[in-house]
Amino acid sequence: MKNRVLIIGAGGVGSVVAHKCALNSEVFEDIILASRTISKCDNIAQSIKDRFDIDIQTRTIDADSVDDLITLINELKPKLVLNVALPYQDLTIMDACIATKVDYLDTANYEHPDTAKFEYKEQWARDKAFKDAGIMALLGSGFDPGVTNLFCAYAQKHYFDKIETIDIMDCNDGDHGYAFATNFNPEINLREVSANGRYWENGKWCETKPMEIMEVWNYPEVGERDSYLLYHEEMESLIKHIKGLKRIRFFMTFSKSYLTHMRCLENVGMLGIKEVEHKGQKIVPMEFLATLLPDPASLGERTTGKTNIGIIATGIKDGVKKRIYIYQVKQHEDCYAEVGSQGVSYTTGVPAMIGAKMMINGTWRDKGVFNIEEFDPDIFMEELNKNGLPWSIKELVV
Ligand code: NDP
């Protein structure tokens, strides 16, 4: 039987995943892209046909319905379901995979639509069900979470006896020419950015006000940028899996203009996630805002500049204190030229494809629910170099 993959979600990331799977057709012999809106799937299929002369199939699916998912998976019998819909669909898709005994992969941890709090708890709770079904789930195989976790695992394996601190540094220096737009799903992005910050130190979480802590970091090939402390989901799994860690923080760059727009939208209530009544109709302000903002999948053509995402780890090797920086730089225009997408979708979609490849070809194989840093990073790191995301390592002064 052919290696068939079912990709769910035809947004910015789904498009990159589908294109990159097509470019790795020796592993992904049969590709099916399913989403709520079939026209989006068909447009992506056409782009793949035009660029690479490869046919993929498309389907429609409501991934909020476990029953519909089970029916589709049973009909298609894929080797793996690759979830790049929204974090709200993680649990339904995982449950459908358990019922049909098919492997699962995603790039973002579960978030309930009514509570702006993303966490692994409910996904990790399905570990036994995955084990009992004899299948594997790989969580967070995007860039961050994803590659940043692997950079930590790689640093741990090759550079340290013990890592003491990690700072994850995420810079998107792209310019799309709009006054305000988000580079991935607006709702998920704005919920993440407007929430309180959090970092982990000496065994406990420390909370900050949104954007309360700022540091200036000099990103290679980009320059000095203001970087703000946020809570980000990979920290939840890294504190479990990097033993001896004393502190982990996550920083992301924002322009002054982005922050001013965001504060203004927040002040007038447009980031609200509870229903409000408008002329007899119930609307969720954040959902309405997402309707008004540019579709992230449409930004590719207009975006110029680079992304630079990496980790700075300090720790001890052979009794000596060390500090290293592992990072990846990507030019937005190169992503557009290759697969018609901007860099944020690209840097997420490529590791999702590689994670799926590692599972399908058996390089990473186990039963249960896993975060990416639990596996040996070396082959995945080589695959990044081969598939458009070459990375660099620098020793820094301690
Ligand atoms: P988009 O909003 O562009 O795309 C999401 C897609 O999911 C859309 O095509 C949408 O449907 C589809 N979808 C939503 N709800 C359903 C549903 N109920 N049933 C079926 N399909 C549905 O988002 P992105 O592509 O930007 O992001 C995709 C995922 O990637 C998100 O989970 C995001 O959090 C994650 N991400 C991870 C990153 C990382 O580094 N780890 C970075 C960036 C994003 P429709 O077909 O109607 O359009």
Side-chain angles (χ1 to χ4, degrees), residues 8-15 34-38 40-41 61-65 83-90 93 106-109 140-146 170 183-186 188-189 192 232-233 295-297 309 342 344-345 347-348 351:
I8 301 184
V13 178
S15 177
S35 200
R36 231 172 9 195
T37 313
I38 190 75
K40 290 195 185 178
C41 302
I61 183 69
D62 175 4
D64 289 325
S65 162
N83 168 20
V84 277
L86 297 180
Y88 314 136
Q89 281 84 47
D90 287 1
I93 300 178
D106 68 29
T107 66
N109 69 5
S141 188
F143 207 101
D144 47 342
D170 179 333
N183 296 291
F184 65 97
N185 184 275
I188 303 299
N189 184 223
E192 173 179 294
H232 221 246
E233 62 203 68
D295 179 354
I309 313 175
Q342 39 89 359
V344 175
S345 304
T347 54
T348 309

Side-chain angles (χ1 to χ4, degrees), residues 185-187 190 270 283-296:
N185 184 275
E187 215 181 305
L190 291 168
M270 284 301 290
I283 58 165
V284 176
M286 176 79 94
E287 285 178 12
F288 177 62
L289 175 63
T291 307
L292 297 179
L293 289 174
D295 179 354

Side-chain angles (χ1 to χ4, degrees), residues 78-225:
K79 281 238 162 99
L80 180 137
V81 176
L82 200 162
N83 168 20
V84 277
L86 297 180
Y88 314 136
Q89 281 84 47
D90 287 1
L91 300 184
T92 46
I93 300 178
M94 286 180 90
D95 288 344
C97 284
I98 293 165
T100 53
K101 296 189 169 36
V102 172
D103 288 343
Y104 169 91
L105 177 148
D106 68 29
T107 66
N109 69 5
Y110 176 66
E111 183 168 354
H112 193 282
D114 298 334
T115 326
K117 186 172 185 218
F118 40 96
E119 57 184 5
Y120 281 120
K121 192 170 70 187
E122 291 182 72
Q123 292 183 275
W124 284 341
R126 281 158 171 77
D127 181 56
K128 183 171 180 317
F130 269 77
K131 281 193 169 69
D132 291 347
I135 53 169
M136 171 173 162
L138 185 65
L139 307 183
S141 188
F143 207 101
D144 47 342
V147 174
T148 49
N149 302 53
L150 275 190
F151 284 172
C152 295
Y154 192 80
Q156 173 73 80
K157 180 173 174 187
H158 297 286
Y159 288 85
F160 292 100
D161 296 325
K162 189 170 81 168
I163 296 181
E164 292 177 336
T165 70
I166 294 170
D167 281 341
I168 300 165
M169 307 302 300
D170 179 333
C171 169
N172 176 13
D173 201 50
D175 180 7
H176 42 58
Y178 286 115
F180 187 74
T182 62
N183 296 291
F184 65 97
N185 184 275
E187 215 181 305
I188 303 299
N189 184 223
L190 291 168
R191 279 164 71 130
E192 173 179 294
V193 170
S194 57
N196 278 346
R198 238 190 311 160
Y199 63 98
W200 189 85
E201 190 163 35
N202 296 327
K204 63 177 181 10
W205 289 104
C206 310
E207 193 153 292
T208 68
K209 294 264 171 287
M211 310 297 163
E212 187 184 330
I213 296 180
M214 192 277 278
E215 290 195 359
V216 176
W217 180 249
N218 193 354
Y219 295 87
E221 298 185 44
V222 172
E224 287 193 348
R225 292 290 179 273

Side-chain angles (χ1 to χ4, degrees), residues 143 147 151 154 158-159 309 325-329 377-386 388-393:
F143 207 101
V147 174
F151 284 172
Y154 192 80
H158 297 286
Y159 288 85
I309 313 175
Y325 182 26
I326 314 182
Y327 60 93
Q328 199 286 323
V329 180
D378 291 358
I379 294 177
F380 197 114
M381 295 285 279
E382 282 168 28
E383 288 283 339
L384 288 170
N385 284 330
K386 289 181 199 154
L389 295 178
W391 44 273
S392 307
I393 298 191

